[in-house]
Amino acid sequence: MAETGAHARRVFSGVQPSGNLHLGNYLGAVKRFVEMQEEDYETIYCMVDLHAITVWQDPAQLKTAIRELAAAFMACGLDPEKSILFNQSQAPAHAQLAWIFNCVARIGWMNRMTQFKEKSGKNAEASSLGLYCYPALMAADILAYHATHVPVGEDQKQHLELTRDIAIKFNNDFSAPGFFPEVEPVIEGAATRVMSLRDGTKKMSKSDPSDLSRINLTDDADAISKKIRKAKTDPEPLPEALSGLDGRPEARNLVGIYAALSGKGAAEVLAEWGGREFSAFKPALADLAVEMVAPIAGRMRAYLADPGEIDRILGAGAMKARAISEPILEKTYDLVGLLRSA
Ligand code: AQP
């Protein structure tokens, strides 16, 4: 592994630049990215623009969305001096390795992916082929760096299991034991699945048509407070124990968000709030959310005032990313038997 620059504790994760980065992305993924940057890991974080185009993106908007996501990453605390930050399309090994993995993965494996079913809806035949084989590109993103740890929200668990299956099959097919590592999903924190504020059974999502369903990282204090005030709840007071959240998805979600933002456990939140009405809990939650989220938007605006600097940071990050991923791709091509002339 040394010849391909493997790191004992290398983190890779990505976020799609598809607009509206929200509290779910923050609590489920980006907050953990920042923590891991400060721990004993080499950290690589990517704006996965090739994933974003699996559904239609307006080309001019996409460039803006990539810069906005870079600004959001940095506004949340990612530091280009400590982490490699870049957009996926600037490191060609992702797409090249994805092709190899398309040839390793089985159609039956892809057919089991629930995210494709959710995203393609009733009209799967009209979805892009890219959306269907999205998980092979995601496996390539991770394995092109021999990453060992992947912080993600709960919704990505199945894709990470597929990444492991692809690594195992490749290593077996090409007699290369241990070449691609079996990655560890890092699904941690009090809010690995933040739900919509309008429907506690649906995950908070960028593509939800209702803006009231999510707290965007660009929302100001008024918007955040309004969305929490209007969040769907049930008429009962908060329960005293966790078991009392069963069958109450909206209550569970708001308690989970409060716990994640305050750094407390959900049981602790209920010990404090059990028996009290949502009319008292919601303003406290709104204050907490404003305190944590509103400053991010201000910092984002400051980064976005200098788009040239963002492009420079992403270019420099891409150079570092290529330096790691290209030797791994070359070794992969060699294992597969693809001729490389000098
Ligand atoms: N609701 C969520 N709760 C916790 N974590 C979440 N993540 C996404 N939604 C939630 C995590 O955020 C990271 C980046 O996700 P992504 O933007 O690459 O893709 P996604 O999961 O498809 O996010 P969205 O918001 O649902 O986007 P759309 O609507 O465009 O599909 C991932 O680690 C994800 O787990």
Side-chain angles (χ1 to χ4, degrees):
M1 299 259 278
E3 66 185 286
T4 52
H7 190 275
R9 286 160 68 82
R10 182 178 281 158
V11 170
F12 179 95
S13 198
V15 176
Q16 296 188 64
S18 42
N20 292 330
L21 203 69
H22 52 73
L23 192 64
N25 298 129
Y26 178 66
L27 295 176
V30 183
K31 190 164 176 279
R32 193 72 190 102
F33 296 178
V34 177
E35 288 161 3
M36 292 182 98
Q37 169 184 266
E38 306 304 331
E39 294 165 14
D40 179 28
Y41 294 99
E42 179 183 9
T43 45
I44 306 173
Y45 299 121
C46 185
M47 284 120 256
V48 289
D49 47 11
L50 298 176
H51 282 282
I53 61 167
T54 57
V55 297
W56 169 253
Q57 304 290 336
D58 177 81
Q61 287 261 325
L62 180 58
K63 287 187 181 144
T64 304
I66 295 165
R67 292 190 183 109
E68 282 176 356
L69 181 55
F73 271 9
M74 292 189 285
C76 290
L78 292 179
D79 176 351
E81 298 296 320
K82 295 182 181 170
S83 292
I84 299 178
L85 304 182
F86 70 109
N87 59 310
Q88 188 185 24
S89 60
Q90 293 208 68
H94 294 243
Q96 292 166 305
L97 190 58
W99 180 255
I100 304 286
F101 290 166
N102 279 339
C103 301
V104 171
R106 307 289 91 183
I107 288 177
W109 299 1
M110 295 293 167
N111 285 344
R112 286 196 286 276
M113 296 295 114
T114 53
Q115 185 170 293
F116 175 75
K117 289 177 196 158
E118 282 158 20
K119 292 204 169 177
S120 60
K122 291 197 179 78
N123 206 2
E125 294 272 315
S127 297
S128 74
L129 199 49
L131 188 66
Y132 183 67
C133 53
Y134 182 115
L137 177 59
M138 180 164 158
D141 297 336
I142 297 163
L143 296 175
Y145 298 89
H146 279 173
T148 51
H149 294 74
V150 184
V152 283
E154 176 72 36
D155 60 320
Q156 294 301 324
K157 191 163 179 264
Q158 194 186 33
H159 288 164
L160 286 182
E161 283 160 6
L162 189 99
T163 299
R164 287 169 80 100
D165 290 343
I166 289 176
I168 292 168
K169 186 169 187 319
F170 182 96
N171 294 347
N172 280 338
D173 287 355
F174 298 103
S175 307
F179 177 65
F180 284 122
E182 291 177 34
V183 290
E184 286 296 330
V186 181
I187 302 175
E188 290 174 350
T192 55
R193 190 169 177 83
V194 178
M195 309 309 276
S196 157
L197 298 178
R198 306 301 300 161
D199 177 350
T201 63
K202 272 173 47 186
K203 80 165 188 156
M204 187 177 283
S205 168
K206 302 188 200 92
S207 51
D208 192 314
S210 166
D211 195 55
L212 286 176
S213 70
R214 64 180 161 261
I215 293 173
N216 302 306
L217 296 191
T218 48
D219 284 342
D220 61 19
D222 285 349
I224 296 170
S225 300
K226 177 176 147 203
K227 287 176 181 183
I228 292 182
R229 210 171 50 244
K230 287 186 172 280
K232 189 176 166 201
T233 46
D234 56 44
E236 300 300 316
L238 284 155
E240 317 251 327
L242 286 176
S243 57
L245 293 172
D246 291 349
R248 298 180 65 188
E250 284 82 18
R252 180 185 294 283
N253 190 35
L254 294 187
V255 168
I257 293 174
Y258 190 102
L261 288 173
S262 62
K264 295 180 179 162
E268 218 181 319
V269 174
L270 291 183
E272 198 180 326
W273 286 94
R276 297 179 65 188
E277 303 292 331
F278 280 105
S279 54
F281 181 68
K282 279 181 169 181
L285 176 58
D287 286 350
L288 196 55
V290 167
E291 187 190 324
M292 301 295 288
V293 176
I296 296 176
R299 290 196 292 271
M300 263 182 84
R301 275 195 298 278
Y303 285 116
L304 285 167
D306 190 352
E309 175 62 5
I310 293 182
D311 294 1
R312 191 199 62 73
I313 289 169
L314 296 184
M319 272 176 62
K320 293 186 206 161
R322 288 200 295 266
I324 301 171
S325 55
E326 282 172 7
I328 292 174
L329 179 77
E330 281 303 315
K331 179 71 186 161
T332 307
Y333 278 170
D334 183 53
L335 287 167
V336 172
L338 301 174
L339 182 66
R340 321 301 291 150
S341 11

